[in-house]
């Protein structure tokens, strides 16, 4: 007992108990179907003030969300923490066409695109599952720069290749997105003008395009730290088995 690390025991307490003795693994779980509602609105208006002018205005909204273990951008899919994933995308566009003569057409358009993604925990109870403060043995675990871990999350854990399975996809790694909780905001505003002129068998076209883009993501990195308990002969304390290395 005196060789068991209390920090490892705290991390191990996150895991569900075995529920099968199938070869190569001891836990099976299937999450019930996740509700995935979607909502979209579209409005378009076409207007011809004269026989030479055409104006089109289009607006569109999109929203979807889901809650569960296996949502987009999910943490460890064995059930580490239930999350939400919300995504919205709003866009609008104006197109204007002017016939300048029998052989010349002017086209101008302007648009805007604005999207947001959010992947917070489902609720405060789920957030507490992966906070150091929820586990006395982890509360004072040192950090290089705690300012980069404002939610005080537990470190990640990896086990490398487990001898009994050889399949790292089955490992109960403690993982979450390096931006956790996921946030993102993308914005674009293109503007373009084109002139097309036809002369005989030839068509000439000239124009210009300017686009302003803003691509924002949350800070990303191993901000809470990471332990590797992989079987490693170069580790002087190696036990020969990843889970006993952890213990």
């Amino acid at each position: 007992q005196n060789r068991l690390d209390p920090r490892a025991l705290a991390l191990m307490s996150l895991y569900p108990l075995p529920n099968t003795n199938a070869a190569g693994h001891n836990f099976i779980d299937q999450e019930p179907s996740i509700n995935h509602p979607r909502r979209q609105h579209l409005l378009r208006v076409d207007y011809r003030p004269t026989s030479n002018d055409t104006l089109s205005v289009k607006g569109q909204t999109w929203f979807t969300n889901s809650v569960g273990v296996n949502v987009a951008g999910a943490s460890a899919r064995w059930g580490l923490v239930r999350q939400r994933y919300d995504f919205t995308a709003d866009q609008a566009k104006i197109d204007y066409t002017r016939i300048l003569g029998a052989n010349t057409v002017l086209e101008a358009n302007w648009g805007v695109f604005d999207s947001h993604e959010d992947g917070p925990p489902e609720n405060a109870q789920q957030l507490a599952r992966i906070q150091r403060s929820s586990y006395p043995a982890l509360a004072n675990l040192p950090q290089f720069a705690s300012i980069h871990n404002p939610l005080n999350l537990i470190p990640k854990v990896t086990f490398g290749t487990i001898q009994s399975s050889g399949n790292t996809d089955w490992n109960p790694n403690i993982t979450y997105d390096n931006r956790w909780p996921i946030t993102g905001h993308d914005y674009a505003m293109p503007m373009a003008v084109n002139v097309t002129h036809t002369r005989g068998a030839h068509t000439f076209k000239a124009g210009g395009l300017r686009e302003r883009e803003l691509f924002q993501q949350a800070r990303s990195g191993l901000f809470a730290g990471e332990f590797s308990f992989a079987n490693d002969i170069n580790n002087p304390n190696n036990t020969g088995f990843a889970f006993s290395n952890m213990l």
Side-chain angles (χ1 to χ4, degrees), residues 64 66 72 83-88 116-120 181-184:
T64 182
S66 53
Q83 296 177 218
R84 289 174 46 194
Y85 184 78
D86 302 336
F87 184 82
T88 64
H116 293 261
E117 64 171 339
D118 294 290
I182 297 173
T183 60

Side-chain angles (χ1 to χ4, degrees), residues 6-7 9-14 80 126-141 154:
R7 295 163 297 184
L9 293 175
L11 290 170
M12 285 182 169
S13 69
L14 287 164
L80 175 63
Q126 288 296 313
L127 171 60
R129 277 181 52 82
I130 58 172
Q131 287 184 305
R132 299 173 187 229
S133 54
S134 300
Y135 309 92
L138 300 177
N140 297 316
L141 194 65
I154 61 176

Side-chain angles (χ1 to χ4, degrees), residues 16-84:
L17 293 175
N19 61 10
T20 182
N21 58 2
H25 55 275
N26 62 8
F27 177 75
I28 293 177
D29 181 57
Q30 180 171 333
E31 185 175 25
S33 296
I34 297 175
N35 290 330
H36 205 149
R38 297 170 173 85
R39 184 176 70 239
Q40 182 178 23
H41 297 108
L42 174 65
L43 172 67
R44 176 177 175 131
V45 177
D46 295 315
Y47 176 58
R48 297 199 65 184
T50 72
S51 60
N52 292 332
D53 298 283
T54 301
L55 180 66
S56 296
V57 179
K58 178 182 177 181
Q60 182 173 322
T61 67
W62 167 263
F63 168 80
T64 182
N65 77 329
S66 53
V67 181
V69 172
N70 290 283
V71 298
S75 301
R77 295 182 183 274
W78 50 261
L80 175 63
V81 57
R82 287 175 56 87
Q83 296 177 218
R84 289 174 46 194

Side-chain angles (χ1 to χ4, degrees), residues 2-241:
N2 64 359
R3 298 180 63 188
L4 305 186
D5 192 304
R7 295 163 297 184
L9 293 175
L11 290 170
M12 285 182 169
S13 69
L14 287 164
Y15 293 117
L17 293 175
N19 61 10
T20 182
N21 58 2
H25 55 275
N26 62 8
F27 177 75
I28 293 177
D29 181 57
Q30 180 171 333
E31 185 175 25
S33 296
I34 297 175
N35 290 330
H36 205 149
R38 297 170 173 85
R39 184 176 70 239
Q40 182 178 23
H41 297 108
L42 174 65
L43 172 67
R44 176 177 175 131
V45 177
D46 295 315
Y47 176 58
R48 297 199 65 184
T50 72
S51 60
N52 292 332
D53 298 283
T54 301
L55 180 66
S56 296
V57 179
K58 178 182 177 181
Q60 182 173 322
T61 67
W62 167 263
F63 168 80
T64 182
N65 77 329
S66 53
V67 181
V69 172
N70 290 283
V71 298
S75 301
R77 295 182 183 274
W78 50 261
L80 175 63
V81 57
R82 287 175 56 87
Q83 296 177 218
R84 289 174 46 194
Y85 184 78
D86 302 336
F87 184 82
T88 64
D90 301 316
Q91 50 191 313
K93 187 180 182 184
I94 298 175
D95 291 297
Y96 172 69
T97 302
R98 169 76 174 178
I99 299 175
L100 299 177
N103 303 318
T104 307
V105 176
L106 170 70
E107 298 171 288
N109 57 69
W110 171 89
V112 61
F113 173 84
D114 187 83
S115 72
H116 293 261
E117 64 171 339
D118 294 290
E122 180 184 24
N123 49 43
Q125 290 74 26
Q126 288 296 313
L127 171 60
R129 277 181 52 82
I130 58 172
Q131 287 184 305
R132 299 173 187 229
S133 54
S134 300
Y135 309 92
L138 300 177
N140 297 316
L141 194 65
Q143 300 184 70
F144 286 115
S146 59
I147 190 174
H148 298 309
N149 186 13
L151 294 178
N152 203 29
L153 301 188
I154 61 176
K156 293 185 176 183
V157 172
T158 61
F159 295 100
T161 300
I162 306 300
Q163 294 93 319
S164 59
S165 71
N167 187 343
T168 57
D169 292 336
W170 293 357
N171 289 358
N173 295 331
I174 295 176
T175 61
Y176 41 80
D177 194 283
N178 285 343
R179 297 173 292 158
W180 210 92
I182 297 173
T183 60
H185 179 204
D186 300 331
Y187 173 85
M189 186 174 68
M191 295 175 286
V193 177
N194 298 296
V195 177
T196 304
H197 179 73
T198 302
R199 182 178 291 274
H202 303 281
T203 299
F204 303 90
K205 188 170 185 176
L209 168 67
R210 184 183 189 277
E211 184 166 17
R212 174 179 173 82
E213 290 188 351
L214 186 64
F215 182 72
Q216 299 180 104
Q217 300 288 340
R219 77 282 180 272
S220 177
L222 296 175
F223 55 87
E226 181 178 68
F227 287 116
S228 172
F229 298 115
N231 182 30
D232 183 1
I233 60 174
N234 296 312
N235 175 9
N237 296 317
N238 189 48
T239 66
F241 192 57

